Amino acid sequence: MKRFLLILIAAVSIAAPRAFAQEAFKHAALGVTAGLDGFGIEAATALGDHFQLRAGYAIMPFSYSKNMNLGTGTVNGTSRDFSNTPVSIKMWYGGNGNVMADWFPGDGAFHVTAGLFAGSGKLLKGDLDVTRAIKSDEWGRVAVSYDNGVSFSTDANGIAHVDAVTLKVMPYVGIGLGRAIGDGPVSFTFDLGALITGGAKPQIYNYIRNTMDPSNPVESMQLTSALVKNKDKGWIDKIANIPVFPMLKINLFVALF
Amino acid sequence: MEPAPTAEDAVLFTFEEKPLYMMNGQKCEIVSIEFTEDSRYILGLSPVIDGSVSATPDTKALKLGSVVTGKFTLSAGKYITHGEYEAQMELRDEVAKITGAVSGEFKGKKKRSESNTTEEVNAHRTWVVDNTYIKITGGVNAEAGFKGCDFQEIAQFLKDNGAKIDPSKVAGYKISEMEFTGSGSMNIAFSATSSFYGSYTLSGENITYSFVVINNNDILAASASGKLTFPANKKAELILNTTIGGYNGTVQFSMHSN
């Protein structure tokens, strides 16, 4: 991570004198984006003939909802029916801001890009409505506990939360086609790359102490294959250890000046 | 936090000549009386066995059988106790002059209570338990939060989750108050049963307590250690690493002071 940032700073530093010599920031464009990070807006400026700088924000407006069969489980000493549990999943919760630097090695549209994406770190945010299986006086007050000390509970409204959590600040590397600051008033660009997420680690939460006193933080713990007694055949751990997430974006820019 | 209202007048008087006190038909000797920082008194009692009274003053370790607690007021330098034990006391360094059911002058030692650190000033008052968090591991895994602290409710929860605990043995054990004093006393008062009483030490956030007066129960051990913190004004969190019903456990009390 440190080495990557040093390379990025060095590249911008080398370009900057030429950029400023060639009237950097004299041109700017505003665009809309669509991609695996959702829909967003982006602003761009040129730092000379070979560098462009982009900054933007995107959010995934859709969510996936379904009633799922989660079987039965024991809570507070009694068996509970989770066979028809409403589940809602959002992707890239809260959206991501990004800053990207494009380097054009030639005079054409091909570029190499490096940058940073920053957001809540929740690649997936899952909400399980277990209000029918869990009694109201148990919401946020009774946990399911395991031998290894891991435990989780619903929040005070009877919703259990499971998230796939990444780094909140994720480096990006990729390639692309097109110049945000082009010759004409409108430009199309395309990005293909990878976010270095550090792995999307499934996380569960214990709200008991937070329910007792909101000044106490919500406790979070990582969900592992061992915790589900390997019923997932190790897939939870395998997916959690994939350190990257693909990124594909198409962008439409309009020149401002 | 500001010191509790009677911090300036908090004292512990240990009797060498012990006044008598009748408690539920049992003759007792008053071993000590503590007037705390928060307008409470703690009367330390030792049962008189076989109707005999101590022949010689006992200035060594207290042998308490029970405590009686209540509130006191001050008037013209006299401590006036209310509730289960009603009397007026004038305390000098080595003599307590008592007017009440048993009147007279009794020799002993007076010691002013001290609050030297910020943690001690914060701790030395009466606390009301708002919520109790319990977690046990080791054979049985159970974790929950409860409003207030009702030992029977907690025991029932633990039993429902597989612990070998009998909730009926702790019927009526609802904590009404918890107090830490500058004389090193810790008192837990219950709504329908007698208090747990003992001593504690506080070093920074680290607390260790040991009860000398306690009823047999599976929820709160006779001694334990943990942390006492103050997350906000007149708020306290007492987290104890202890055994609960024979299992490794954590108890956390979230409390407020009036």
Side-chain angles (χ1 to χ4, degrees), chain A residues 76 141 147 149 151 206 209, chain B residues 135 141 143 145 157 161 252:
Chain A
N76 204 6
R141 288 194 171 266
D147 289 337
S151 60
N206 189 325
R209 292 192 218 212
Chain B
K135 178 172 182 172
N141 299 306
E143 182 177 352
F157 164 77
N161 282 272
Q252 179 173 342

